[in-house]
Amino acid sequence: MVASMADWCTVTVIEEARGKKRVAAAHRDPEKTCLIDELSRYYPVDSNEETGIGYVIRNGKILLTPQVHDSDLVNAAKDDRHLAIMRELGCKSCIIVPILLREKALGAIALISHQAGKIYGGGGGRRDEEKERCGTEGVEKA
């Protein structure tokens, strides 16, 4: 999935006893996957985030950021090391999609592009809602 859709991605699920847990991560550059692991270990998903994975899981809605600027990374960073990791991983555009079952968020999938030419977005409105519904129906059938 990473090679065709994103430069890196994560899958985060809600575990009743432990909260949110990143269960999968991949990067186009395998040497950078350890940086994603470091993010998970030292900067876990926060349910109170105003943006990002915590926000998507809490609200059950797709979060599309066609262009991520360095100032966005600065605002999201919890400390200098967090900012350095995000910059090293690279993030120019991202989409975070909730994993839904009967309108309840079970987790989220984040797809991130670090290439200036690969920007998410452009579908808009109804088309995005249809994609979200199809994804939800797929989880319910599984």
Side-chain angles (χ1 to χ4, degrees):
M1 175 169 71
V2 174
S4 64
M5 297 180 66
D7 294 308
W8 60 285
C9 70
T10 64
V11 178
T12 304
V13 296
I14 298 173
E15 292 185 337
E16 294 297 326
R18 299 166 135 185
K20 291 153 198 69
K21 178 182 178 189
R22 185 154 295 141
V23 295
H27 196 288
R28 180 180 297 277
D29 178 352
E31 292 180 13
K32 290 191 176 183
T33 300
C34 65
L35 292 172
I36 301 171
D37 294 340
E38 188 173 341
L39 282 179
S40 298
R41 190 170 35 258
Y42 296 108
Y43 307 100
V45 172
D46 179 355
S47 297
N48 297 316
E49 293 174 334
E50 292 184 28
T51 188
I53 294 169
Y55 174 86
V56 169
I57 292 173
R58 187 176 68 246
N59 292 294
K61 299 290 182 192
I62 293 173
L63 179 63
L64 172 64
T65 310
Q67 293 189 339
V68 177
H69 303 282
D70 190 66
S71 60
D72 298 321
L73 299 180
V74 170
N75 290 333
K78 294 179 176 38
D79 59 31
D80 290 342
R81 179 64 184 145
H82 191 203
L83 179 58
I85 293 169
M86 290 191 296
R87 284 177 171 159
E88 192 168 345
L89 284 169
C91 183
K92 298 290 184 197
S93 181
C94 74
I95 184 167
I96 306 171
V97 181
I99 301 167
L100 299 172
L101 177 62
R102 295 186 183 100
E103 312 263 338
K104 180 180 178 187
L106 304 176
I109 299 171
L111 301 173
I112 299 98
S113 169
H114 67 75
Q115 299 174 36
K118 185 188 275 186
I119 303 296
Y120 300 112
R126 184 175 178 169
R127 188 171 174 194
D128 288 342
E129 290 170 10
E130 289 173 8
K131 288 177 191 175
E132 183 176 349
R133 189 181 69 250
C134 289
T136 301
E137 289 170 1
V139 170
E140 289 176 357
K141 290 177 182 175

